[in-house]
């Protein structure tokens, strides 16, 4: 199993993802510089968090033009698993690999804290080890996580079960108070129609070890390993 | 033409100008005068503080690099070392809070990665005025956003800090930022221009007209209406470029193509070139025409004094220059050979083919003026202490609530949730504990970090206040299970030309030095910020201490929160009849009165040893240092963080308000499983620390009885709600931004 971790100038969670893939799960993991077009034989590609190009324009708006993104799009089209975390999710939206867009958090501030989410789709290659309806806690850390899309797109996502994670309270209710950024319908993560491209705002890479207080996120990486083994 | 007016504009005294003439044997030209002015500014030369700073202990078995370099470095074993430093960005932040604070973060990060270290964690120590003072809400918001904007973008977690509010900072806020990095102990880089013939390379952002004379500005006091006029001397930060610069430098350090490197911080190209040559006893020749500039028509004077951010000066090995340039070009950064190292002992600057400055390198630092400024005797014991005559308050629970809701004690998650405190996935203890704890990947080790000073104590007794800052930092570090290793400091004071301010400075330094000796924690780096005055009013003396501690097994770290119902609670250390300078006096009584609590450094050392040992042996479930707000607040924090109540009964021995809310030093609250009671008690006895069994954890109320009388009995949920929301509410209810 080989993870390819894309590094844009300004990515800053690339090493965190590498640590989970390689040090914790014992997989192969390569960094892929944004100028490269060779994915180095990756079985799964991760677009990590950070501030690609400083996010000075709009999060992900410049990164989508990096040469590596054409290769990522081709890889996704062939069914390869692609995971975008936080800034990586924003890049996937800007690149059109996932529908919708991000706005600045409704509180107009950066927010770093734990959130609770309900697993809405456990059929993707990154969520197969979770069970639908279960609750997971992961940290967020972003300024632009206020997911938005036209109502018909949102309806389509709901209808096709493409909402993967939804912010909720500790009883599993998607309340407004449990929504940290104002995201439409409390959406924390979504996938493409085929289910192989997944994006989410929370950071599974930051909660993969008991020493750090939470290991709920490691299953996202482990799910990909299981999915690859099953192929 | 150097007129008296020009000399005055450069903040140089007549004596200082005479010294310049004597060093040169001639009149300086304007470029040279600008260079002297920057290098001899208080900010760069430490001319008022230097003789006092010599009192600090700066050596120890772990010290690899003491003060004088970009950052201090201490060995943590296993081939690794920690590089760290704290620095102020007070004046720029008061003028333009976002950029002032942001570039403060950028500067301290460069100081750390210049040493070859990867920055791992930032802390900040913030002092604001009253929330309803003019501009204050704007300043709080801007500073927090600035720290967040820079640190979050570059991807270095902001793990902790402290924020206090007092009218003494209404006209002069303090922004002290600290960074801690990790470096292989055999790969430490220094700011030295060695090896005649080696190329001098400029890397990073282009040079603009921003921040010209920032160092000089930081060495003056303000008049109230002046702040807005000073805006052009504040720099603008670009964390994205700094991220590229940091990654490029760290990549470069993995080669051995670099001889020396220094950040262009205060006084930009001037301080970096002169200090690098001065330290190595060499000289440099630089062609200023080759410096990448942001706009046309920049003069040599402007190029030398610009404080544009995200720039470094380095000396490469002669035969490895291409390799160095290639790394920076890969990261799409400017990297230009602008000169070479010589053995002339002089810094010679060229511009468009002619010499524009020719100065001896070492004398600019070595012969910088040093002042033993006059000091008035302090009278720390002097009253009035009217609180001593006041009757006891009727309702202690109401007092507790009032203190928990005060901006100084209330939970500051409004601030730290705006900071990314988790990136790099090393955060073991997030903000809100006694000290931040991070693990060191690839080892079992943990690093604890804490910034601390109680300016209210320092205002009444700067000696004790300085000593207590060190003691309290050590106690907080030990309460996580780590052992203190070393400190950095950031000494914020008023105008040193005033004898009372200089007396405060001298006393605080002596206090820090004595505490460092007693606790065996050397000072390895630091910064002095003077002239923190507006309209002639100085800030309270604020000698901030930034401490780093080490635990060999990070898995044994301990938190503040009570963990299990049924655990026993004990108070360690004695409580004295002290209420002076407490949050209780300020908030409940409305009295800004002393005296500063006493400090017993031997007792502090024993307590620190006890706390660390309790953690190492796995005896305790929770530990918390007793500080702001006193014992009742400390117990409430354990309960609120754990979401568990406690039933506690103690013999006060002193007046009830002092027992509950006095800020006697040298105390901590611990909890442990009943089966560990004998071990905890025996260990406390062995270490010579008073141990008082107080009760047990459980239920959903915090009940504190003194003798047979319940003096506090409140639902933990009520206290928690108040404590968690008070700060945001106080900000919202203050005036418009």
């Amino acid at each position: 199993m080989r993870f390819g971790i894309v590094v844009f100038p300004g990515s800053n969670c690339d090493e965190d993802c590498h640590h989970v893939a390689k040090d914790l799960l014992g997989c192969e993991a390569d960094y892929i510089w944004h100028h490269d077009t060779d994915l180095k034989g990756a079985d799964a590609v991760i677009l990590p968090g950070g501030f690609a190009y400083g996010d000075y324009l709009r999060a992900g708006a410049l990164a989508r033009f990096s040469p590596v993104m054409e290769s990522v799009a081709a890889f996704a089209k062939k069914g390869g698993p692609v995971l975008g975390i936080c800034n990586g999710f924003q890049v996937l939206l800007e690149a059109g690999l996932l529908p919708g867009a991000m706005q600045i958090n409704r509180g107009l501030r950066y927010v770093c804290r734990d959130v609770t989410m309900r697993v809405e789709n456990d059929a993707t290659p990154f969520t197969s080890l979770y069970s639908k309806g279960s609750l997971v806690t992961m940290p967020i850390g972003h300024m632009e996580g206020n997911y938005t899309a036209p109502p018909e797109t949102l309806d389509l996502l709901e209808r096709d079960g493409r909402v993967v994670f939804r912010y909720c309270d500790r009883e599993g209710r998607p309340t407004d108070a449990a929504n940290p950024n104002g995201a439409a319908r409390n959406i924390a993560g979504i996938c493409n129609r085929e289910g192989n491209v997944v994006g989410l705002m929370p950071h599974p890479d930051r909660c993969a070890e008991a020493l750090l207080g939470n290991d709920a996120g490691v299953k996202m990486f482990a799910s990909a390993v299981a999915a690859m083994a099953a192929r | 033409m150097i007129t008296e007016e020009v000399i005055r504009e450069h903040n140089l005294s007549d004596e200082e100008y005479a010294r310049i003439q004597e060093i040169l044997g001639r009149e300086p030209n304007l470029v040279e005068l600008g260079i002297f002015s920057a290098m001899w500014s208080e900010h760069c030369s430490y001319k008022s503080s230097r003789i006092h700073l010599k009192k600090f202990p700066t050596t120890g078995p772990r010290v690899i690099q003491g003060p004088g370099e970009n950052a201090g470095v201490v060995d943590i074993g296993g081939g690794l070392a920690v590089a760290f430093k704290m620095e102020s960005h007070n004046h720029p932040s008061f003028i333009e809070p976002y950029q002032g604070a942001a570039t403060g973060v950028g500067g301290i990060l460069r100081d750390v990665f210049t040493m070859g270290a990867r920055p791992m964690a930032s802390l900040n120590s913030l002092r604001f005025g009253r929330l309803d003072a003019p501009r204050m809400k704007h300043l709080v918001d801007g500073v927090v956003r600035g720290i967040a904007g820079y640190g979050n973008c570059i991807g270095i977690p902001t793990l902790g800090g402290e924020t206090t509010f007092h009218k003494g900072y209404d006209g002069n806020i303090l922004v002290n930022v600290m960074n801690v990095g990790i470096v292989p102990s055999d790969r430490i880089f220094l700011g030295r221009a060695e090896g005649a013939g080696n190329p001098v390379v400029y890397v990073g952002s282009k040079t603009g007209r921003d921040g010209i004379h920032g160092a000089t500005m930081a060495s003056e006091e303000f008049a109230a209406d002046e702040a807005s006029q000073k805006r052009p001397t504040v720099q603008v930060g670009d964390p994205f470029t700094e991220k590229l610069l940091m990654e490029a430098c760290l990549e470069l350090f993995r080669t051995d193509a670099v001889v020396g490197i220094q950040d262009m911080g205060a006084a930009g190209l001037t301080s970096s070139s002169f200090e690098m040559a001065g330290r190595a006893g060499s000289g440099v020749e630089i062609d200023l025409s080759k410096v990448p500039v942001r706009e046309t028509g920049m003069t040599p004077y402007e190029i030398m004094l610009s404080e544009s951010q995200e720039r470094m000066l380095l000396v490469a090995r002669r035969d490895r220059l291409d390799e160095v340039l290639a790394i920076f070009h890969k990261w799409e950064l400017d990297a230009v050979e602008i000169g070479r190292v010589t053995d002339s002992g002089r810094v010679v600057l060229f511009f468009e083919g002619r010499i524009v400055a020719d100065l001896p390198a070492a004398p600019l630092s070595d012969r910088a003026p040093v002042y033993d400024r006059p000091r008035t005797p302090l009278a720390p014991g002097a009253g009035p202490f009217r609180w001593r005559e006041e009757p006891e308050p009727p309702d202690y629970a109401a007092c507790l609530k009032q203190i928990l809701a005060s901006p100084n004690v209330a939970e500051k998650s409004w601030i730290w949730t705006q900071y990314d405190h988790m990136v790099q996935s090393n955060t073991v203890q997030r903000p809100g504990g006694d000290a931040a704890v991070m693990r060191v990947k690839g080892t079992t080790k943990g690093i604890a970090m804490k910034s601390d000073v109680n300016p209210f104590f320092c205002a009444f007794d700067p000696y004790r206040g300085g000593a207590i800052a060190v003691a309290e930092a050590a106690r907080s570090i030990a309460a996580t299970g780590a052992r203190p290793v070393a400190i950095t400091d950031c000494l914020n004071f008023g105008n040193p030309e005033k004898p009372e301010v200089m007396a405060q400075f001298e006393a605080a330094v002596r206090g820090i030095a004595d505490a460092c000796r007693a606790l065996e924690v050397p000072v390895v780096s630091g910064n002095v910020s003077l002239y923190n005055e507006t309209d002639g009013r100085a800030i309270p003396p604020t000698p901030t201490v930034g401490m780093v501690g080490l635990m060999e097994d990070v898995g044994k770290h301990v938190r503040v929160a009570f963990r299990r119902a049924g655990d026993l609670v004990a108070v360690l250390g004695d409580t004295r009849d002290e209420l002076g300078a407490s949050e209780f006096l300020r908030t409940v009584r409305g009295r800004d009165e002393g005296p500063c609590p006493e400090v017993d450094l031997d007792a502090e050392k024993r307590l620190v040893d006890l706390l660390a040992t309790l953690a190492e042996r796995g005896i305790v479930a929770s530990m918390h240092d007793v500080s702001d707000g006193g014992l009742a607040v400390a117990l409430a924090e354990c309960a609120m963080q754990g979401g568990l109540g406690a039933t506690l009964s103690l013999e006060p021995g002193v007046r009830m308000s002092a027992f509950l809310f006095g800020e006697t030093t040298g105390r901590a609250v611990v909890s442990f499983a009943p089966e560990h009671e004998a071990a905890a008690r025996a260990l406390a006895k062995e270490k010579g620390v008073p141990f008082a069994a107080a009760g047990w954890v459980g239920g959903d109320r915090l009940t504190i009885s003194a003798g047979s009388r319940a003096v506090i009995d409140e639902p933990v949920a009520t206290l928690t709600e108040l404590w968690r929301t008070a700060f945001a509410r106080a900000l919202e209810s203050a005036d418009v931004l």
Side-chain angles (χ1 to χ4, degrees):
Chain A
M1 174 70 190
R2 183 176 282 270
F3 284 94
I5 298 159
V6 175
V7 183
F8 298 101
S11 292
N12 63 30
C13 302
D14 42 334
E15 292 188 9
D16 300 359
C17 292
H18 194 272
H19 173 68
V20 177
K22 182 146 195 186
D23 302 341
L24 301 182
L25 293 178
C27 298
E28 297 296 320
D30 297 305
Y31 293 115
I32 303 167
W33 184 235
H34 74 124
H35 268 310
D36 295 342
T37 49
D38 176 6
L39 299 182
K40 300 182 183 174
D43 299 305
V45 170
I46 298 177
L47 273 55
F51 287 68
Y53 294 94
D55 278 355
Y56 288 162
L57 178 53
R58 192 175 63 242
L62 290 177
R64 62 167 286 212
F65 294 108
S66 281
V68 73
M69 286 309 294
E70 279 186 38
S71 309
V72 171
F75 178 78
K77 198 169 179 193
K78 282 190 291 185
V82 176
L83 176 65
I85 301 169
C86 195
N87 194 229
F89 183 18
Q90 294 162 341
V91 174
L92 290 174
L93 296 174
E94 290 287 336
L97 290 171
L98 289 173
M102 286 297 173
Q103 294 175 293
I104 289 185
N105 298 345
R106 66 176 164 185
L108 306 180
R109 291 177 191 281
Y110 186 97
V111 183
C112 179
R113 65 173 173 87
D114 283 337
V115 295
T116 304
M117 299 183 296
R118 197 172 67 200
V119 179
E120 305 283 70
N121 178 339
D122 59 5
T124 81
F126 296 102
T127 55
S128 59
L129 297 181
Y130 297 96
S131 45
K132 190 174 171 179
S134 65
L135 303 184
V136 288
T137 298
M138 290 189 196
I140 55 167
H142 60 250
M143 184 72 158
E144 295 174 49
N146 182 355
Y147 180 75
T148 185
E152 53 276 20
T153 306
L154 295 172
D155 289 341
L156 202 68
L157 288 173
E158 301 276 11
R159 194 197 69 197
D160 296 347
R162 289 166 58 191
V163 175
V164 179
F165 293 106
R166 205 186 300 273
Y167 302 115
C168 66
D169 66 13
R170 284 182 187 164
E171 277 73 52
R173 296 170 302 208
T175 60
D176 191 55
N179 185 336
N181 48 32
R185 303 188 192 181
N186 283 36
I187 288 172
I190 57 172
C191 63
N192 64 351
R193 197 172 307 140
E194 296 73 23
N196 63 312
V197 178
V198 174
L200 80 166
M201 287 314 295
H203 277 278
D205 48 324
R206 295 182 180 184
C207 55
E209 285 165 273
L211 175 64
L212 306 186
N214 181 3
D215 60 1
V218 75
K219 282 191 200 165
M220 286 202 80
F221 295 78
S223 293
V225 177
M228 286 299 110
R231 271 222 307 223
Chain B
M1 175 67 187
I2 308 298
T3 61
E4 266 185 42
E5 199 187 338
V6 172
I7 295 166
R8 259 198 315 279
E9 276 171 6
H10 281 79
N11 245 10
L12 289 161
S13 69
D14 292 345
E15 297 76 37
E16 288 168 347
Y17 187 69
R19 187 187 287 231
I20 293 171
Q21 289 173 304
E22 185 227 318
I23 289 172
L24 296 182
R26 60 175 168 83
E27 299 275 321
N29 64 32
L30 187 63
V31 175
E32 292 168 338
L33 188 75
I35 289 168
F36 271 104
S37 162
M39 289 293 288
W40 287 6
S41 68
E42 189 66 60
H43 192 82
C44 292
S45 73
Y46 297 89
K47 59 191 169 190
S48 304
S49 58
R50 194 174 283 256
I51 61 160
H52 303 292
L53 300 178
K54 285 188 186 142
K55 292 182 195 127
F56 286 147
T58 58
T59 56
R62 289 191 184 274
V63 177
I64 297 176
Q65 178 64 56
E69 273 287 343
N70 287 297
V73 184
V74 290
D75 187 40
I76 59 165
L80 294 174
V82 166
F84 67 107
K85 191 181 181 192
M86 188 185 285
E87 212 163 62
S88 65
H89 236 214
N90 305 334
H91 295 82
S93 301
F94 186 65
I95 297 168
E96 208 300 283
Y98 186 97
Q99 293 298 346
T103 53
V105 175
I108 198 66
L109 293 176
R110 286 194 299 283
D111 280 333
V112 167
F113 73 75
T114 301
M115 302 298 293
R118 179 170 279 280
M120 304 295 283
S122 293
L123 290 92
N124 53 72
S125 183
L126 310 177
R127 312 287 164 195
F128 296 107
R130 291 164 296 188
L131 280 172
D132 52 2
R135 294 178 74 232
M136 200 49 64
K137 207 172 145 185
H138 162 74
L139 292 172
V140 173
D141 184 64
V143 165
V144 171
R145 279 181 191 274
I147 291 170
Y150 208 101
N152 297 353
C153 180
I154 195 166
I156 291 154
T158 304
L159 280 195
E162 36 153 9
T163 310
T164 49
F165 301 84
H166 187 258
K167 63 175 187 292
Y169 304 103
D170 277 358
N172 204 313
I173 64 169
L174 302 183
V175 175
N176 294 178
V177 287
M178 172 172 165
N179 188 266
V180 179
I182 292 192
V183 57
S185 41
D186 59 349
R187 304 287 294 169
I188 293 163
F189 289 81
L190 300 176
R192 289 170 171 272
E194 275 168 345
N198 278 334
V200 174
V201 183
Y202 172 111
V203 299
S205 289
K206 292 179 174 29
T207 296
R209 287 196 166 105
D210 49 337
I212 290 174
H213 272 314
T216 315
M217 173 194 74
S219 309
E220 290 174 84
E221 16 173 321
F222 289 147
D225 57 346
E226 233 176 29
S228 60
Q229 296 163 15
K230 296 264 179 184
R231 197 163 293 136
T233 54
V234 179
Q235 315 88 324
V236 174
D238 176 359
F240 174 59
T241 298
E242 178 131 319
K243 166 78 174 164
L244 303 182
L245 186 62
M246 177 177 78
E247 296 299 342
C249 285
L250 293 172
E251 186 173 331
L252 180 68
F253 295 147
R254 289 193 285 270
T255 72
D256 51 3
V258 196
V259 175
I261 182 164
Q262 181 155 339
D263 154 43
M264 289 193 222
L269 190 51
T270 292
S271 59
S272 52
S273 57
F274 278 87
E275 287 174 11
M276 286 183 78
R279 285 194 200 106
S282 63
V284 292
E285 284 178 8
I286 291 176
D287 184 353
L288 298 176
S289 322
K290 291 184 178 166
V291 170
V293 289
R294 215 178 283 159
E295 46 195 315
T296 54
M298 284 190 67
T299 64
Y301 180 94
E302 290 171 324
I303 293 169
M304 284 305 285
L305 293 172
S306 164
E307 291 191 0
S308 290
Q309 298 288 292
E310 294 91 23
R311 304 179 301 160
M312 305 282 247
L313 194 67
L314 67 85
V315 172
R317 279 186 209 290
R318 208 177 325 180
D319 52 341
R320 309 283 293 274
L321 177 64
D322 290 344
E323 203 178 324
V324 171
L325 299 181
I327 288 174
F328 287 99
H329 293 153
K330 173 195 155 188
W331 290 93
E332 299 178 17
L333 291 165
D334 275 319
V336 183
E337 181 186 0
I338 60 168
R340 62 186 188 91
V341 179
T342 67
D343 52 13
S344 68
R346 301 187 75 80
V347 174
V348 185
L349 305 175
F350 295 84
F351 188 68
E352 293 174 351
R354 61 199 165 81
I355 291 178
V356 292
D358 182 353
L359 298 170
L364 258 90
S365 326
D366 300 350
R367 296 209 50 208
V370 174
Y371 297 125
D372 186 359
R373 296 198 187 272
R375 307 188 297 272
T376 47
L378 292 168
F385 305 129
R386 282 185 293 264
W387 60 267
R388 284 182 177 157
E389 282 89 55
E390 280 186 324
E392 284 290 292
D395 181 350
Y396 293 104
C399 297
L400 174 63
K401 287 182 184 169
Q402 226 178 317
I403 295 171
L404 289 178
S406 78
N408 288 337
V409 172
E411 195 212 36
K412 307 292 192 308
S413 59
W414 183 90
I415 294 176
W416 49 258
T417 54
Q418 297 188 55
Y419 303 148
D420 187 341
H421 49 263
M422 300 190 68
V423 61
Q424 295 191 12
S425 58
N426 293 319
T427 306
V428 174
Q429 285 198 26
R430 302 187 194 183
D434 273 340
V437 179
M438 70 171 192
R439 56 103 174 257
V440 182
K441 278 197 187 104
T443 75
T444 59
K445 295 175 199 290
I447 305 287
M449 296 153 276
K450 173 73 179 171
S451 69
D452 222 323
V453 67
N454 185 322
F456 311 112
F457 291 1
C458 297
F460 294 107
D461 188 337
Y463 172 81
R464 277 194 204 161
I468 291 171
V470 177
E472 198 173 310
R475 223 185 299 132
S476 303
I477 295 266
T480 67
R483 291 185 181 269
V485 171
I487 70 162
T488 180
D489 61 65
C490 192
L491 308 173
N492 310 271
F493 289 80
N495 180 348
E497 294 159 42
K498 292 183 179 169
E500 63 276 20
V501 170
M502 209 56 229
Q504 292 172 341
F505 183 86
E506 187 275 337
V509 166
R510 205 156 27 85
I512 291 175
D514 285 353
C516 284
R517 280 203 184 82
L519 295 164
E520 295 171 42
V521 281
V523 181
V524 296
S525 59
N527 171 244
V528 177
S529 172
L530 301 175
Y531 296 95
N532 289 291
E533 302 207 354
T534 295
D535 291 339
R537 274 193 304 276
I539 57 161
T542 315
T544 314
V545 166
M547 188 178 285
V548 166
L550 175 66
M551 54 184 101
E552 290 300 333
D553 181 355
V554 68
K556 293 186 173 166
H557 77 99
V558 176
R559 295 178 193 274
V560 168
F562 286 147
R563 278 185 29 206
R564 289 173 305 248
D567 278 355
L568 300 178
V569 180
V571 177
L572 307 176
D574 278 328
T575 301
R576 292 182 284 264
D577 187 18
E578 295 175 311
L579 265 179
S582 65
E583 192 61 39
F584 170 83
L585 273 199
R586 284 186 303 278
T587 299
V588 178
R589 300 292 205 200
R591 291 191 182 280
D592 236 326
E593 294 178 0
C596 172
E598 288 174 28
V599 56
D600 176 346
L601 293 171
D602 288 335
E604 295 281 4
K605 181 155 196 257
R606 293 194 298 271
L607 177 61
V608 163
D609 184 28
L610 171 62
L611 294 174
T613 309
L614 283 169
E616 287 158 0
R617 297 197 186 159
I619 293 172
V620 282
S622 75
M623 300 201 284
H624 187 19
D625 141 58
V626 177
S627 60
D628 304 351
L631 183 61
V633 167
L635 290 166
E637 285 169 344
C638 299
M640 295 184 297
Q641 293 207 19
L644 282 167
T647 304
L648 310 160
S649 177
L650 284 148
E651 284 306 324
V654 296
R655 82 185 74 199
M656 190 68 72
S657 51
F659 166 69
L660 291 171
F661 306 117
E663 297 180 12
T664 293
T665 57
R667 295 179 299 164
V669 173
V670 299
S671 74
F672 41 81
E675 63 265 31
H676 290 319
E677 185 183 4
R681 205 181 269 278
L683 198 58
K685 190 170 179 198
E686 181 195 322
K687 303 289 182 188
V689 175
F691 177 103
W696 60 90
V697 176
D700 54 8
R701 300 179 76 85
L702 177 67
T703 307
I704 304 177
S705 305
S708 55
R709 171 178 160 221
V711 287
I712 288 171
D713 183 15
E714 289 289 322
V716 174
T718 310
L719 300 176
T720 307
E721 169 70 12
L722 193 66
W723 177 66
R724 286 207 203 279
T725 58
F727 185 68
R729 269 190 286 113
L731 263 186
E732 277 152 25
S733 64
D735 250 337
V736 284
L737 277 182

